[in-house]
């Protein structure tokens, strides 16, 4: 029997929702409703220097104004340190995680010396300097031993494959500044919350194989994945907080919801109708579209 459907929207409270993040929120909500499941919201506030005070509450108000209300109290990753520490310990005890002494410039130098310099704008591939031990240096970060290629089927994008060792190498689980890496926190919490289905923006699709490897290392089940199309600005750039995407005003959330629905290929509902009616119609359409998955 398939595990009970649990979905989640997991924003980083580094700013309010923009048009792109609303698409992911709406899709994950619709998918949970269409499967008769539970929909959770988790605030991914591990990267404290990037978090903006009040942004989490603002996001929740924006979601509520769009009719998207979580079925259980919101989890805040900043209160989950003990769970992340335990997972890291488990990986270290199993020999799957190791301390790394390398600074960013050490890594760039090692890549240059190996004839594979880092290309700006791409992931830095860790050359494995500390894999065999620290050689008297002082550990700063903790990394996962990564090996192999991951195949997975994305419900929207179809069959996917990534050679994780080649794409990123041994990935960081705990950063040199003492903060938990996104990968560790997201994998630990998805399992702890019994998440069966991850529905999120396509910009995170290439993180999926990394998360699958980490799930395997921790002995956790693999959720199903669906990555939604990105919203682009007029110059074709993906909307993001970093690129200055405008916040969605709370009083405009019904309009914003219709724009998000259009990105997902859902038909317009006259805007005189309340958000709840539009949502109910879209759930029916979504359920028919994804009947078999
Ligand atoms: N917190 C991540 C972000 O806002 C999303 C994590 C996820 O959905 O897995 O980009």
């Amino acid at each position: 029997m398939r595990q009970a459907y649990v979905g989640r929207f997991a924003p980083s409270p580094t700013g309010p929702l923009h048009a792109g993040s609303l698409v992911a929120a709406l899709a994950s909500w619709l998918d949970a409703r269409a499967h008769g499941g539970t929909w959770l919201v988790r605030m991914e506030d591990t990267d404290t220097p990037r978090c903006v005070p009040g942004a989490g509450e603002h996001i929740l108000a924006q979601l509520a104004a769009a009719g998207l209300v979580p079925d259980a109290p919101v989890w805040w990753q900043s209160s989950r340190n003990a769970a992340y520490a335990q997972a890291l310990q488990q990986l270290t005890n199993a020999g799957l995680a190791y301390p790394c002494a390398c600074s960013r410039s050490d890594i760039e130098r090692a890549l240059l010396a190996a004839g594979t310099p880092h290309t700006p704008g791409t992931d830095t591939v860790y050359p494995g300097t500390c894999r065999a031990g620290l050689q008297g240096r002082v550990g700063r970060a903790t990394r996962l031993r990564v090996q192999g290629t991951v195949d997975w089927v994305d419900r929207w994008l179809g069959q996917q494959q990534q050679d994780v060792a080649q794409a990123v190498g041994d990935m960081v689980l705990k950063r040199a500044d003492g903060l938990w890496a996104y990968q560790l926190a997201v994998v630990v919490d998805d399992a702890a919350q019994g998440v069966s289905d991850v529905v999120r923006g396509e910009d995170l699709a290439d993180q999926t194989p990394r998360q699958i490897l980490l799930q395997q290392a921790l002995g956790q089940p693999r959720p199903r994945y669906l990555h939604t199309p990105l919203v682009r600005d007029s110059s074709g750039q993906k909307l993001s907080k970093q690129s200055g995407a405008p916040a969605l005003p709370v009083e405009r959330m019904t309009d914003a919801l219709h724009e998000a629905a259009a990105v997902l290929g859902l038909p317009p509902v006259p805007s005189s109708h309340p958000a709840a009616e539009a949502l109910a119609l879209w759930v029916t359409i979504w359920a028919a579209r994804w009947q078999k998955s």
Side-chain angles (χ1 to χ4, degrees):
M1 204 180 74
R2 190 185 278 175
Q3 118 192 64
Y5 186 108
V6 180
R8 78 338 182 248
F9 175 54
S12 304
T14 51
L17 288 185
H18 54 76
S21 36
L22 185 62
V23 172
L26 174 62
S28 70
W29 184 91
L30 287 172
D31 204 47
R33 288 291 170 268
H35 286 86
T38 303
W39 187 65
L40 307 175
V41 172
R42 183 172 72 224
M43 287 295 164
E44 300 208 320
D45 58 344
T46 50
D47 193 350
T48 38
R50 289 186 53 234
C51 290
V52 172
E57 290 75 7
H58 191 150
I59 290 172
L60 293 172
Q62 290 173 299
L63 289 172
L68 310 180
V69 178
D71 296 320
V74 173
W75 279 27
W76 294 76
Q77 290 192 322
S78 52
S79 63
R80 300 272 304 147
N81 283 331
Y84 308 145
Q86 195 186 3
L88 193 68
Q89 193 61 54
Q90 179 188 333
L91 294 167
T92 306
N93 292 350
L96 297 172
Y98 65 88
C100 171
C102 299
S103 63
R104 203 177 284 262
S105 51
D106 292 336
I107 295 172
E108 304 226 333
R109 262 198 307 274
L111 288 171
L112 199 61
T116 51
H118 172 231
T119 318
T122 63
D123 284 324
T124 303
V125 184
Y126 182 61
T129 318
C130 297
R131 257 194 162 208
L134 289 170
Q135 322 291 346
R137 295 152 79 218
V138 178
R140 310 166 76 238
T142 309
R143 291 180 182 272
L144 180 76
R145 268 177 220 284
V146 164
Q147 162 170 333
T149 298
V150 176
D151 292 280
W152 85 102
V153 180
D154 187 272
R155 289 169 56 211
W156 192 296
L157 303 172
Q159 184 72 44
Q160 306 287 311
Q161 187 180 71
Q162 189 186 73
D163 180 338
V164 186
Q166 200 178 58
V168 68
D170 292 351
M171 62 191 180
V172 171
L173 300 172
K174 191 170 189 193
R175 297 168 20 171
D177 57 9
L179 297 177
W180 299 107
Y182 155 65
Q183 306 291 9
L184 183 77
V186 80
V187 164
V188 167
D189 284 348
D190 280 341
Q193 296 191 287
V195 169
S196 64
D197 287 78
V198 171
V199 176
R200 59 187 176 190
E202 197 182 323
D203 52 331
L204 292 164
D206 68 342
Q207 304 297 318
T208 303
R210 300 162 203 190
Q211 292 167 20
I212 289 174
L213 281 185
L214 190 48
Q215 286 153 10
Q216 287 169 351
L218 286 164
Q220 291 169 352
R222 180 194 298 195
R224 299 188 309 164
Y225 290 94
L226 188 161
H227 288 89
T228 56
L230 299 180
V231 180
R232 299 186 183 276
D233 64 20
S234 48
S235 62
Q237 276 276 85
K238 145 186 126 98
L239 282 196
S240 72
K241 287 170 210 166
Q242 288 87 333
S243 69
L248 296 171
V250 172
E251 58 288 352
R252 251 207 81 238
M253 288 310 290
T254 305
D255 292 343
L257 201 59
H258 281 77
E259 284 154 24
V263 174
L264 295 170
L266 296 165
V269 176
S271 55
S272 52
H273 289 232
E277 257 177 56
L279 287 170
L281 173 74
W282 294 329
V283 169
T284 317
I285 296 171
W286 193 271
R289 185 191 289 177
W290 299 105
Q291 219 170 18
K292 292 202 186 66
S293 67

